[in-house]
Amino acid sequence: LINARTILGLHYMQLNYHVESKEAVAPIIDLAIAGGDKKRISQIYIILGTYNYLVEEDFPQALNYLKDALMISEELNDVVCESLSAYWLGFGLAFNCDYENALYHLEKALHFHESANIQWAESMVKTTMGYFVYFFQGKFDLVYRMNDEALRITEKSGDLYSKSMAYSAVGLSCYCKGLFEEATQHYIKGAELCEMINHFYSNALTHFNLGETFYKLEEYQKSKEHYGRAIHLLEQNKSFPFWVKLFKVGEARAKVK
């Protein structure tokens, strides 16, 4: 029961269904801790950590869970759990604007995926580094490099999950260069791929970026519609509340225009 629910929770988490992920493990948390299975405890802590910052916005508690998960996985020499906890810890630190530590943990996860030749995960980590670390720091040359490499890797692998993120990431590269028309083409391709596989998180971020780009192009009705789509996707899945607030600001701004 512990194994089945934890694995189910991990699969939900990888798809960014963090409410469902936490619900999957909630009935067996105490049982798993009492049983002392450190591998499953580590994985449950990853699930609880991501839930806490992406649903509850409780960053201190989230980071504690993820640091504990990383520590346990290192003790066990469990490289799979270690890479998962490093990635989600890096992701959370980036949201919390701790870019130096975020990059350290994301690079740790990337090294594992490169060594194991897990191409879809390698591409995903590169897009995460490009957007949530380098873009927010204004290091656009590194944004271009990460996103171009991510697209090249995912085109080689043929994986739709990472490809949906990579096309949107290349759209971001175009946006940084002021190539707004070209950016919309990549974003729209990314959104289409997200719709195909129901990848709501990347889809929401892509529609937000379309809202930003159409605002730059002074196409305010389209801008408002894409902000609205992004808000709907996140509210429907009860995740990323801080983004919902940001997206509503963008929607209101476009509506005024």
Side-chain angles (χ1 to χ4, degrees):
L1 184 63
I2 292 169
N3 291 343
R5 282 191 167 273
T6 304
I7 293 167
L8 177 61
L10 290 171
H11 284 311
Y12 273 132
M13 183 189 71
Q14 287 293 85
L15 293 168
N16 287 282
Y17 288 96
H18 298 286
V19 173
E20 291 83 352
S21 177
K22 196 252 188 178
E23 288 174 349
V25 300
I28 52 91
I29 293 172
D30 293 338
L31 190 62
I33 293 172
D37 186 339
K38 287 191 174 182
K39 178 176 180 177
R40 295 305 181 201
I41 292 170
S42 173
Q43 293 168 340
I44 289 169
Y45 283 171
I46 299 170
I47 291 167
L48 295 177
T50 55
Y51 174 83
N52 268 271
Y53 74 78
L54 294 175
V55 178
E56 297 292 338
E57 291 189 294
D58 187 345
F59 279 84
Q61 182 63 63
L63 296 177
N64 285 337
Y65 273 128
L66 290 164
K67 288 174 183 177
D68 286 346
L70 182 59
M71 181 181 67
I72 294 169
S73 62
E74 288 173 342
E75 289 174 359
L76 298 174
N77 196 28
D78 185 335
V79 292
V80 175
C81 288
E82 189 176 342
S83 68
L84 271 177
S85 53
Y87 173 77
W88 288 106
L89 178 56
F91 200 31
L93 288 166
F95 275 134
N96 210 34
C97 304
D98 187 352
Y99 299 119
E100 184 176 346
N101 284 321
L103 188 60
Y104 170 80
H105 289 293
L106 290 171
E107 286 179 337
K108 191 173 187 177
L110 180 62
H111 175 72
F112 167 78
H113 298 311
E114 288 176 335
S115 300
N117 195 31
I118 306 173
Q119 292 180 325
W120 70 266
E122 185 182 345
S123 175
M124 180 187 71
V125 176
K126 283 182 179 289
T127 58
T128 300
M129 291 166 62
Y131 196 108
F132 297 105
V133 178
Y134 295 131
F135 175 64
F136 289 153
Q137 289 181 307
K139 297 179 178 179
F140 294 158
D141 56 331
L142 292 172
V143 175
Y144 309 149
R145 194 184 85 190
M146 288 292 107
N147 292 346
D148 287 347
E149 289 177 3
L151 184 61
R152 176 179 52 79
I153 293 166
T154 195
E155 289 283 14
K156 183 179 178 181
S157 72
D159 171 69
L160 290 179
Y161 180 78
S162 56
K163 188 180 287 188
S164 68
M165 298 174 66
Y167 268 101
S168 296
V170 173
L172 180 69
S173 294
C174 295
Y175 179 90
C176 291
K177 296 175 182 178
L179 304 174
F180 301 129
E181 294 284 359
E182 190 174 338
T184 61
Q185 295 172 17
H186 289 290
Y187 285 143
I188 289 169
K189 177 66 174 177
E192 289 172 351
L193 291 170
C194 289
E195 292 285 349
M196 287 174 60
I197 59 174
N198 198 24
H199 190 190
F200 86 89
Y201 138 73
S202 187
N203 200 11
L205 186 57
T206 301
H207 279 286
F208 166 72
N209 287 328
L210 279 165
E212 294 280 280
T213 307
F214 279 121
Y215 188 90
K216 290 287 189 181
L217 291 168
E218 299 184 357
E219 296 188 43
Y220 301 118
Q221 181 61 33
K222 286 184 179 180
S223 175
K224 183 171 74 72
E225 289 170 359
H226 285 290
Y227 285 128
R229 176 63 176 157
I231 293 164
H232 171 74
L233 284 164
L234 296 187
E235 287 186 333
Q236 186 180 41
N237 291 281
K238 302 175 184 177
S239 298
F240 300 84
F242 41 87
W243 273 358
V244 172
K245 295 167 188 172
L246 175 64
F247 296 176
K248 285 183 176 179
V249 172
E251 183 185 41
R253 182 184 62 169
K255 188 175 180 180
V256 168
K257 284 286 190 177

